[in-house]
Amino acid sequence: AKHQLLITNDVLQLSKLESGNVLLNNVHFNPVTMIQSVTRMFEAEARVKDINFSVSFSPFNLPSSSGFNNNNNNGDGDDDDMNNILIEADPHRISQVLINLLSNAFRFTAGCSVRQIEVCVGLYFHNNINDDDETD
């Protein structure tokens, strides 16, 4: 039901997107929690359609000063590291994109001989502060 409501809201947002009137609600949130919430919506569908569905988290490309384990690039991410991360973005918009991608993946994987969907989430550190800026 929640999934259907989100799809309906996506359709209603299309006219706003086309007119450039989409507002972002940037907040600090944990992306792992949001991604887990979205992917849980698809677990029953995966079981019914006999699709191997998995989600993995892996921190990578983090500066040593971040305090996170930067030596683990093999998909076996340290859950404690990923659960402590906060990002600033619009979680609803990111959820919309993920739901759309997963909906398409489930739609087109159901008829395939190899039925596997894997969501791999990694963290890429980007410092948006320009050292050449002379701001106070």
Side-chain angles (χ1 to χ4, degrees):
K2 184 177 179 182
H3 176 67
Q4 292 295 351
L5 177 62
L6 290 172
I7 290 174
T8 301
N9 288 338
D10 289 349
V11 171
L12 296 174
Q13 291 291 326
L14 184 58
S15 64
K16 287 183 180 180
L17 181 63
E18 290 173 346
S19 66
N21 292 327
V22 173
L23 299 175
L24 297 178
N25 183 25
N26 288 340
V27 296
H28 288 95
F29 69 98
N30 180 284
V32 172
T33 303
M34 184 271 304
I35 292 166
Q36 288 172 334
S37 175
V38 169
T39 55
R40 274 189 210 107
M41 290 190 285
F42 291 88
E43 289 175 350
E45 184 176 357
R47 282 190 300 275
V48 167
K49 293 183 177 181
D50 195 29
I51 295 174
N52 184 10
F53 180 51
S54 63
V55 182
S56 63
F57 298 91
S58 178
F60 59 93
N61 193 30
L62 295 170
S64 58
S65 62
S66 71
F68 292 102
N69 177 2
N70 199 24
N71 299 321
N72 194 351
N73 295 335
N74 63 4
D76 297 333
D78 185 336
D79 290 338
D80 289 338
D81 285 351
M82 295 298 284
N83 287 327
N84 290 325
I85 292 170
L86 292 179
I87 65 170
E88 184 176 358
D90 187 332
H92 177 69
R93 299 292 178 215
I94 295 173
S95 294
Q96 285 178 317
V97 170
L98 185 55
I99 288 169
N100 188 344
L101 291 170
L102 287 171
S103 294
N104 287 337
F106 275 88
R107 183 178 315 126
F108 295 110
T109 302
C112 297
S113 59
V114 176
R115 297 174 0 181
Q116 178 174 338
I117 298 172
E118 183 175 357
V119 178
C120 302
V121 181
L123 176 67
Y124 179 82
F125 178 79
H126 174 73
N127 185 353
N128 63 355
I129 298 173
N130 186 346
D131 291 336
D132 296 334
D133 285 349
E134 300 212 10
T135 58
D136 293 319

